[in-house]
Structure formats: structure tokens, C-alpha cells
Amino acid sequence: MKIKQLLVLPNLPDSIKNLQELAHNLWYSWNPELSGLFKDLDSKLWEETHQNPVELLSRLPQERLAETAQNKEFTDRLDKIYADFQSYLKKKFWFQHKYSKETSFKVAYFSLEYGLDTGLPVYSGGLGILSGDTLKAASDLGVPMVAVGLLYRYGYFHQALSKDGWQQERYEENDWYHMPIRRVKGKDENPLQISIDLAGEKVQLQLWQVQVGRTPLYLLDANIPDNSPALRDITSILYGGDKEMRIRQEIVLGIGGVKALTALKINPQVYHINEGHAWFLALERLRNLMESHQLNFKEAYQYLWATSVFTTHTPVPAGNEKFDPVLVHRYLADSIKQMGISWDEFLKIGRLIPEDDTEPFNMTAAALKSSAFNNAVSELHCQTSREMWRQIWPNLPFEEIPIKAISNGVHPGSWISPELNKLYMSTFGPEYVERPGSPEVWKKVYDIADSDLWRYRNSKREQLVEFVRKRLAQQLFSRGSSQTDQQRAKKVLDPRALTIGFARRFSSYKRGNLIFSDIERLENIINKIDRPVQLIISGKAHPLDNSGKEIIKQIIKFAANERLCDRIMFIEDYDINIARILVQGVDVWLNNPRRPQEASGTSGMKAALNGCLHLSILDGWWAEAYDGKNGFAIGSGHEIESVEAQDRFDADMLYNCLEHEVVPMFYELNEIGLPAQWIERMKNSIKTAGESFSSQRMLMNYTDKFYLKAFEASRKLSKNNFELTRSVSKWTDRMAEHWESIEIRTVDMTIPEGELFVGQTIPVTIEVFLGEIDPDDVNIEIVAGRLASHEELTNFKPIQLSTNNSGKQLKNGIHSFRGEVTLSESGKFGISARVTPNNESLPHTIRPKMISWW
């Protein structure tokens, strides 16, 4: 049967026609005036459509549209908002002011998921929310960015709980024609398509575009009739299926994503790989470089390395994507053969220890080796990541491992409540929008009257309680509970009680059940008549994570306890909308992972921006943000080897903090009836999050520290048909060929007699055999600093030595260098010497195995 397909749009009268354009730009998700305008069209339908303005407009009766078009107050608001939108699109922002000369710069951002808003469900959790916030920050800052991902037919699952609390998964097909997304068309007005090879099968991919303010996001879709059912399923479910499905999805994202940008005639100079899932993009970039510019593999890889940025998010080895080499061979053997390298050479890229044939292909290891710019997502996570991946750079001191810390941030406009946003705008002034993250802006939080901030907090808590009551009644109805239970649900919780929120993915290390470790003690905390406490919990477990599902089941059982049931609520089907309501409405945000397994923990940042106080283990972002006055800490970062002992210790610390700090401070009122100490901490919390943990600050760091350096490398290395790339590749080969012959022959130090004191200097002369290597191609360095256990140098800065003989050889390839060491601190002090490569044409020269120590 043939069917002629037509796309029918809502028929909007001229005076409100601009609603259609505004509905197709995710700018509405962080513009409360615009989202409020859509909500005013039909508030009930707005919630039914998951706050999706495209579906809202399509379902509104024509009579309602005609009536709205005659409403001058509405059309005046629309005209103002549309003018603001046009101004936003044309305005010069941070990037245009700071890097005004870089008109050709563009960075491509690849991620497996994007959490932009409830009405576009192509995300599962924190990684996706971070990706979405990054695109919004790029738009706000004017950073020229294009993003690539996958369009999932069903997205992530919807959650419902059985009567005994066991998680049930339900998948709903997305209707893209009623979502803020449009299919990309070619010059012939037909859908633009690309194709890639998957183990001998051609898969056709169509492209869809989501406009995020000024940032375009392109999503690849395999669900088209040209493909077999198995190929169409590739973009069905996020994080679904087996390893074969995962490698197919990641090849489509990486190789297909680069092909899509080529088809769109978009030529980014810098590529940002967000987590190892996207690393396969490197293969298509290499193929393009070799084919278009006649580079060999080593030359193309040199350019790829210098222009790639990689962010690792996973703090445990098991969480990093790995594939069996047999599976990788099935899909990539032909492509690798065409690049002119052996299969073994390729596998070494994805192994921590290249010679270990038993290792699987590790996507994170491949990304770290293929990128000159690598980062973890908090300061503590940086230390964890260096420990995890130090085998890649076995000869480097721990603190020089080339993984830096760029702490995550959240997009304030997407998470701060409209009411608080108005309060901030009136207090902070225009700089609040124009200079997000500026310390001068956020210091003004202390100008907000305590009474205004507390009135706001009480109002949001009341709204939250009302929301929870409605959702709980719906949940009970769907489970077939009695009318009595459904009516009772409408009276649970106390809108004046201290309210704690806990919401995240349920996995063992996040310990969602830690607060239930001692039920009697918990009962005593929450059931005090004069100081009641209530707990609202939400979150999903991965469909294959039965231990995570067991934790949810335990919580439901505890919540059903007659002594706790009015104080503990679990909200099903956690999503962006529920997250937003929780971080805006609760008084305390609880986070209790096993340190150091929380890479960042951005939900706490969102809560802090809303004046919620964070109560957390000193892990992730909180380890660097907590100052003793902006929230609460569970313990002091103490780590115990035994998991059971750690859990008991942390549970005790959690109860102690609630009993002796959190609850008393919330209910301690001053002479005018305000909890002055609590409000002071609210302001401190807001200031900390606003200054240091916004996605704008995060993206400024990426741009200054990584993107512009990679862009400059691209510009230099591609000049004159990649002349410098070829030269640097030959230099690298030559250095690698002769490196093993380097030997530090002597290190002479003139150490003063008697006791040594801080500040004294020691002259050093070094003789080095360089053989065929030129002295200008190396750095001769003294490394001196505190000597830790296992004889490891810490807290040092390498000291560059100069040649002692104007570059002339003393004899037979031996060169002399000299310098001096300052004894910078007391205690056990160590001095060593080393030789490292030196080439100013590269972002840096830290390469595995190319370092020689005394």
C-alpha cells in the first residue's frame, strides 16, 4: 500500500504567527517570559504535552487561536518577546568581544545524549543534561559551536513502580512532527541523507535539526524505510541492547556524525568528544584528512591529536566503554586496512598497555591518546582519572599526567525558578544576563532582603508539596490503589516542614538507601512534632541494573512504614521537569555517593542556585565548593577500604549532621521570626554556585584553555597544504626512532656543607648523550620538590636548563647543560633530571614513552 505523506502545520493568525518560530527554538526552555506565554494559552494542555510548545500549538482548537490573536495584551507580549529573541540572535556576546578576530572558528561537540527540555526526550541523565546545558551556554556566550547526536525513536524508558516497588519500564514512541525539531533538507528539498558501512551493510541516515538559541544540534536517525528492521533499530533506544547494538550506535554517532557535517558543508577546526562513546569520529576525520590532503596515517593522526578535546566523566574503570577486539574487527577491519596501518597497530590505540593482547578496545583510552586536550569534570575527579589512566603515561609524575580539571557547571537560566529569576534580575541588574558568572554580579545576593528570600523559599516549598500530592495520587491510581489511599495522598507532607530532596540515577555507589541505614534513628529525626522533616525521592535504575532496582524497592518498603509514610515520598518517572521542580522547591539537597565515585554531581549545583543548601559527601564538585558556610558536609572526606565500614561511618555522619546542624539551624528563628543563619547560608550557597559552577564559566574555561589553543594548532598545522603537519610528523618519527639512545650521563650538584635551609640554591650541571637528536629538539629539566612515599616527587615545577657550551657537543654526541635548584620547602626534598621532547609547533609534547629520566 502506498501512502502520500503530508506535513500539516497549525494555521496561526498573522498576529500570533511568530509563535511557530519561537516554538521551534529551545530558547523557550530558558526564557521564562516565553514559556509563560505558551503556558497562558492553555495551562492544562501545556502540562499534558510535557511543556512542548510545538505539540501545544498543534492541539489548540482553531477557535482558541483566533481568540488569542484578538487579545491585545497577549499579542503585545508576544511582539516584545519576539523582538527580544531577534535581538538575542544578532547580539555580540562574550566570544565576539574577547575573540573578535577569530571569525572562522567553529567547534564540533559530539555526545550520545542531550537533555534540553522535557518535550525533547533524547536523554537519560546527568551526561545528557550537561550536554544540553553546554549548548545553551554556547548560545549565551556566542561560542561558535555545532553539536551532533542521535535521534532515538523511543529515547529512554518511562518508569512505573509495582505495588511492591519493583521498577517497570515502558517505552513510548516519539512523534518528531510534534516536537521542536525539523528534518534537514537538501538543495532538492528532499530530506538530506548520508550513508555509512556497518559490517558490509549500508545504513542510510537522515538528519534532523534542533535549534538551541544560536547553537544548531544535528541528530542522526536510522529509522527510515530504506533500512532493514535491524538497521532501523540502531536509533531506537538510548543505552539499550547488547554490546553489538552499542558499537553500532557509537559508529553511527562518530563516523556518521562527521559525514553529516561534511554533507552540511560545516567544517569545524576543533572537535570536542564528550565521553568515550563518541571516539569513532576520529576514524572518519582521519579518513577525510588522508583522502582530501594526501596525508599518511601518522600525519593525519598528528593533526587529529592537536585539534581534539576529550572530556571523561566516569570515575570507575568498569563504567568506561570497552569492546571485544573481535567485535571491533567485524565493523572496522576494512576501514583500518584502507588507512594503511595494521590491525595490531590500531588496537594499541585503545589499550592502556599497548603490548597486552588480552586487553579489550577501550574507548576512553583511545580518546585520551588521540586528544592533546583532556579533562576530568572536577578537581577530585581529575586526581581519580589520573590514577585510573596513569599506565598510558608510565614515565610521567602523577601531577603531570595530561588530564586537567575543568569542573562541570549548570545553565542558570534553565534551572533557576522564574520567581527567583525575577528577584535576581531586580537585585543584580542587567549584568546578571550580560555577564553570567561574574563575581561582582553574584556578590549582590547579600542585597536581597532576608524576608524576601524566605518568603520565596516558603512559596516554592508549598508549590512542591502541592505537586507531590497530585503526582502521588496519580501514581496510586495507576497502581489500582483504593480511593481512600488516593484521597489520603492529597494530604501528605507539610508545606512548612524542612524538606530534603534526593534524586538521581539509582546505582549502588550513589547509595540511595543510605539514609535508611538506621530506621529508628531516622524516625526520631523526621517525626519530631515541633521540628518535622520530610524526604522526597525520585530517580530511575538502568533496566539491567537489578541492584539499583532493589534499592528503589527497599525505599518504597520503608516509605510504606506507618511511622514514615507521611514523611517520605517517591516520585516516579524522574525527568527534567521533576528535577527542576525539586531543585527549586526543597530546602536541602542530599547527595551521598561513595567517595571518590561521584565525578561531579551537577544536581547539587542546580539546587544551590535556587538557594537550596547542599548536604553531601565531600565528593565531586562539593569537595572543591564547600567552605563550611555554604551548605553541609557529611564527614570530612575520610575514605575507608571496607565498603561496609565506609557505609556505616557515612550513615552515622549523615545522621549526626541532620540532628546537630541541619534541623536545628532550619528551625532556629530570630526575634522577627526568620531563620537568620539558614538564610545566610542560602545566600552563600547561591554566590558559590553562581560564581563558579555555571555552564557559562565552564565553557569559558574550555574556550580559553582548550578550544582556542586547538584552533591555533589547526591554523598552523593546516597552512600550505599541511606542510607543518608533515614536518612535525617526520620530527615525531625521528624522535621516536632515536629516543631510546638518550642517556643522562652525569648530574653534578654543588651541595653546601652542613645543614640546608629553605631558600638556598644548588648549582647543577648535567651531561646528556643525545646521539642523533639535536639539543633544540629537547628540554633538559631539573625536577625538584617534596619527596612523598614511594620516592615520588610532588609539588614541583620543572626547571629548564640552558646549554653550557652554546649547543656544541663536548664529545661523541654528549652535551652539557647547567642551571640551579632553589630549595623551596622543608622536609624530605628530592632532585632529579630528565629529558623531554621540545617542539613549539605542537600544543604540548607529552607523549607516552618519550621521556628519559636520570
Side-chain angles (χ1 to χ4, degrees):
M1 180 176 69
K2 290 186 177 180
I3 298 176
K4 178 64 176 177
Q5 297 186 21
L6 303 171
L7 180 59
V8 181
L9 300 175
N11 186 10
L12 300 181
D14 287 344
S15 61
I16 59 170
K17 196 171 286 290
N18 288 333
L19 283 172
Q20 191 72 19
E21 181 183 348
L22 292 169
H24 277 87
N25 192 308
L26 268 292
W27 186 68
Y28 71 76
S29 69
W30 74 95
N31 186 287
E33 285 186 291
L34 178 53
S35 57
L37 195 70
F38 285 121
K39 184 178 181 179
D40 287 349
L41 287 167
D42 189 323
S43 59
K44 185 180 178 183
L45 188 58
W46 175 247
E47 297 304 328
E48 285 179 11
T49 58
H50 305 289
Q51 301 178 11
N52 172 5
V54 177
E55 185 177 0
L56 174 77
L57 293 176
S58 70
R59 288 176 57 182
L60 279 172
Q62 198 64 39
E63 299 78 22
R64 174 61 178 147
L65 294 173
E67 175 190 326
T68 302
Q70 299 301 315
N71 184 332
K72 189 172 187 309
E73 187 270 337
F74 185 94
T75 57
D76 285 348
R77 284 168 62 200
L78 171 59
D79 290 345
K80 179 190 176 299
I81 292 169
Y82 186 75
D84 291 344
F85 173 64
Q86 294 299 318
S87 174
Y88 174 84
L89 295 180
K90 297 171 185 175
K91 191 174 179 180
K92 291 183 178 180
F93 287 98
W94 172 82
F95 185 90
Q96 286 71 34
H97 289 297
K98 186 168 184 178
Y99 299 107
S100 57
K101 295 180 181 178
E102 310 301 353
T103 55
S104 61
F105 169 84
K106 190 172 289 293
V107 58
Y109 186 90
F110 277 60
S111 183
L112 201 56
E113 53 171 308
Y114 290 90
L116 291 160
D117 204 46
T118 311
L120 189 64
V122 289
Y123 67 94
S124 74
L127 181 71
I129 303 298
L130 173 82
S131 301
D133 281 6
T134 300
L135 304 196
K136 294 173 184 179
S139 178
D140 286 345
L141 295 171
V143 175
M145 178 179 281
V146 58
V148 179
L150 299 183
L151 188 72
Y152 301 99
R153 182 179 178 187
Y154 298 102
Y156 206 51
F157 70 90
H158 290 274
Q159 177 198 56
L161 301 182
S162 64
K163 284 188 176 181
D164 66 352
W166 191 253
Q167 175 178 287
Q168 314 287 318
E169 294 90 28
R170 183 183 78 258
Y171 291 92
E172 296 180 1
E173 186 168 1
N174 290 312
D175 178 5
W176 304 123
Y177 297 97
H178 286 111
M179 290 186 179
I181 182 170
R182 285 181 166 133
R183 195 154 51 174
V184 178
K185 295 181 179 180
K187 289 182 179 179
D188 57 2
E189 288 302 304
N190 289 319
L192 182 63
Q193 292 188 5
I194 60 166
S195 68
I196 65 170
D197 180 85
L198 281 178
E201 285 187 281
K202 287 287 183 186
V203 56
Q204 295 292 126
L205 301 165
Q206 63 181 349
L207 308 181
W208 297 76
Q209 181 177 350
V210 179
Q211 198 61 37
V212 187
R214 309 197 307 180
T215 307
L217 164 62
Y218 294 99
L219 300 175
L220 286 76
D221 176 19
N223 183 34
I224 53 179
D226 294 347
N227 294 323
S228 67
L231 293 179
R232 294 181 75 162
D233 280 347
I234 292 172
T235 54
S236 286
I237 297 172
L238 173 60
Y239 301 133
D242 56 13
K243 277 290 186 182
E244 184 140 21
M245 176 60 77
R246 286 295 287 268
I247 198 170
R248 286 179 160 215
Q249 287 187 335
E250 293 177 22
I251 289 171
V252 167
L253 171 64
I255 294 177
V258 176
K259 280 186 172 248
L261 294 180
T262 302
L264 291 163
K265 295 182 169 52
I266 298 173
N267 182 31
Q269 302 84 12
V270 180
Y271 281 74
H272 188 157
I273 303 166
N274 190 42
E275 195 56 286
H277 311 126
W279 179 78
F280 287 131
L281 70 84
L283 300 182
E284 183 62 15
R285 289 191 69 200
L286 288 167
R287 189 192 69 80
N288 282 345
L289 287 163
M290 295 173 71
E291 186 177 284
S292 302
H293 303 286
Q294 290 72 55
L295 302 175
N296 62 35
F297 178 83
K298 287 184 178 179
E299 292 165 346
Y301 191 85
Q302 181 66 66
Y303 179 83
L304 169 88
W305 173 83
T307 56
S308 296
V309 176
F310 171 61
T311 300
T312 177
H313 294 264
T314 310
V316 288
N320 289 269
E321 191 78 274
K322 295 184 273 294
F323 293 112
D324 188 314
V326 174
L327 184 61
V328 182
H329 188 273
R330 184 184 309 158
Y331 284 94
L332 296 176
D334 289 344
S335 299
I336 300 308
K337 187 177 181 180
Q338 291 169 17
M339 290 182 184
I341 62 168
S342 70
W343 184 247
D344 285 342
E345 285 177 295
F346 171 70
L347 288 181
K348 287 178 179 178
I349 297 172
R351 285 173 169 159
L352 273 72
I353 304 174
E355 294 75 23
D356 185 356
D357 293 338
T358 65
E359 263 198 65
F361 191 90
N362 188 308
M363 298 288 278
T364 303
L368 286 166
K369 291 180 183 180
S370 305
S371 306
F373 305 95
N374 299 305
N375 78 284
V377 293
S378 70
E379 291 177 4
L380 182 59
H381 181 227
C382 181
Q383 302 304 306
T384 304
S385 298
R386 286 176 175 174
E387 190 62 51
M388 284 173 58
W389 307 108
R390 66 187 309 172
Q391 287 175 289
I392 296 175
W393 300 274
N395 295 325
L396 270 181
F398 180 82
E399 59 192 69
E400 286 192 320
I401 291 171
I403 302 174
K404 297 184 177 179
I406 295 183
S407 297
N408 278 344
V410 299
H411 186 251
S414 298
W415 298 102
I416 295 172
S417 73
E419 300 93 332
L420 190 57
N421 195 58
K422 283 183 181 178
L423 190 57
Y424 288 167
M425 291 187 77
S426 64
T427 305
F428 300 167
E431 288 184 329
Y432 171 58
V433 174
E434 295 168 5
R435 297 180 59 203
S438 169
E440 291 75 21
V441 171
W442 292 95
K443 282 178 184 175
K444 295 179 183 177
V445 70
Y446 299 107
D447 295 338
I448 298 175
D450 286 4
S451 56
D452 288 343
L453 199 55
W454 191 240
R455 189 181 305 113
Y456 157 78
R457 167 55 47 223
N458 290 331
S459 171
K460 293 307 292 185
R461 192 187 314 108
E462 288 172 6
Q463 292 175 30
L464 171 63
V465 168
E466 186 63 27
F467 168 81
V468 171
R469 288 171 175 174
K470 287 180 181 178
R471 282 297 290 253
L472 186 59
Q474 292 169 4
Q475 290 171 194
L476 291 171
F477 175 77
S478 65
R479 291 179 204 164
S481 299
S482 67
Q483 282 286 336
T484 302
D485 284 344
Q486 293 174 46
Q487 289 300 318
R488 184 168 167 268
K490 295 178 181 179
K491 297 179 181 179
V492 299
L493 302 181
D494 181 347
R496 296 159 298 180
L498 170 61
T499 304
I500 300 173
F502 180 95
R504 57 211 336 101
R505 178 169 57 89
F506 276 87
S507 57
S508 299
Y509 82 88
K510 291 180 183 285
R511 301 187 297 187
N513 53 353
L514 187 70
I515 198 169
F516 299 98
S517 300
D518 186 334
I519 290 297
E520 185 176 340
R521 196 169 176 186
L522 176 61
E523 182 191 339
N524 289 335
I525 292 171
I526 69 175
N527 281 334
K528 288 195 183 318
I529 295 174
D530 58 336
R531 294 185 170 186
V533 178
Q534 53 203 16
L535 182 61
I536 301 171
I537 304 169
S538 191
K540 300 175 178 178
H542 186 279
L544 301 180
D545 184 2
N546 285 333
S547 62
K549 292 182 181 180
E550 284 290 349
I551 292 173
I552 295 175
K553 185 178 178 182
Q554 287 176 21
I555 292 171
I556 297 302
K557 181 181 177 181
F558 290 135
N561 183 312
E562 63 178 17
R563 298 188 302 275
L564 303 175
C565 60
D566 288 337
R567 294 276 181 241
I568 298 174
M569 303 295 147
F570 190 98
I571 306 303
E572 296 176 11
D573 207 20
Y574 187 52
D575 63 7
I576 287 179
N577 188 45
I578 292 173
R580 192 180 286 125
I581 291 169
L582 286 178
V583 297
Q584 292 172 4
V586 298
D587 300 296
V588 172
W589 193 258
L590 176 61
N591 187 31
N592 42 232
R594 286 193 191 98
R595 177 183 160 111
Q597 295 183 39
E598 182 80 282
S600 178
T602 53
S603 60
M605 303 173 190
K606 298 160 193 166
L609 282 169
N610 282 283
C612 172
L613 298 189
H614 201 215
L615 168 60
S616 176
I617 298 290
L618 290 172
D619 198 6
W621 80 288
W622 199 231
E624 65 198 76
Y626 177 66
D627 64 7
K629 299 178 181 178
N630 56 358
F632 305 97
I634 302 170
S636 58
H638 184 58
E639 294 178 30
I640 304 172
E641 198 166 316
S642 163
V643 169
E644 293 78 13
Q646 184 75 66
D647 290 352
R648 287 194 299 272
F649 178 82
D650 288 343
D652 187 52
M653 291 295 100
L654 170 57
Y655 292 133
N656 283 342
C657 191
L658 287 170
E659 290 165 340
H660 303 299
E661 292 186 71
V662 179
V663 178
M665 188 181 295
F666 181 84
Y667 285 105
E668 188 67 42
L669 306 181
N670 63 12
E671 62 279 1
I672 58 172
L674 296 175
Q677 289 186 57
W678 188 274
I679 295 170
E680 184 71 13
R681 287 206 182 201
M682 286 176 65
K683 292 179 179 181
N684 295 339
S685 172
I686 292 165
K687 178 177 176 289
T688 298
E691 283 183 355
S692 303
F693 295 97
S694 70
S695 56
Q696 285 89 339
R697 184 275 313 153
M698 175 190 73
L699 196 58
M700 287 177 187
N701 285 354
Y702 276 120
T703 304
D704 292 338
K705 296 179 180 181
F706 286 177
Y707 294 168
L708 264 295
K709 290 180 180 178
F711 175 63
E712 182 57 31
S714 167
R715 187 155 46 193
K716 289 194 300 186
L717 292 169
S718 63
K719 194 178 291 185
N720 298 327
N721 192 28
F722 292 80
E723 179 182 0
L724 186 58
T725 295
R726 300 174 207 274
S727 171
V728 167
S729 180
K730 289 176 183 175
W731 175 87
T732 303
D733 285 346
R734 187 175 73 253
M735 297 293 283
E737 181 183 354
H738 298 290
W739 194 264
E740 291 300 320
S741 65
I742 291 176
E743 183 184 357
I744 298 175
R745 295 284 174 87
T746 63
V747 179
D748 292 327
M749 291 177 264
T750 308
I751 301 176
E753 293 183 5
E755 294 180 324
L756 301 174
F757 297 94
V758 172
Q760 283 185 259
T761 59
I762 297 176
V764 180
T765 302
I766 300 177
E767 289 188 4
V768 184
F769 176 76
L770 295 177
E772 299 295 319
I773 293 177
D774 191 279
D776 291 336
D777 288 335
V778 294
N779 295 316
I780 311 297
E781 298 173 335
I782 288 291
V783 180
R786 187 190 314 127
L787 204 58
S789 59
H790 307 296
E791 309 303 311
E792 186 170 9
L793 286 162
T794 61
N795 194 31
F796 64 85
K797 185 176 181 181
I799 303 162
Q800 182 86 32
L801 274 64
S802 59
T803 55
N804 203 19
N805 60 332
S806 302
K808 293 180 182 178
Q809 295 185 35
L810 294 178
K811 56 180 179 179
N812 301 328
I814 297 176
H815 298 258
S816 177
F817 301 84
R818 66 184 176 190
E820 64 178 25
V821 174
T822 300
L823 304 180
S824 57
E825 54 186 295
S826 61
K828 198 175 181 183
F829 197 82
I831 300 174
S832 189
R834 70 183 183 186
V835 184
T836 61
N838 174 47
N839 191 315
E840 294 182 357
S841 298
L842 296 174
H844 63 76
T845 54
I846 298 174
R847 298 294 180 92
K849 297 186 178 180
M850 289 183 70
I851 181 169
S852 295
W853 287 90
W854 177 33

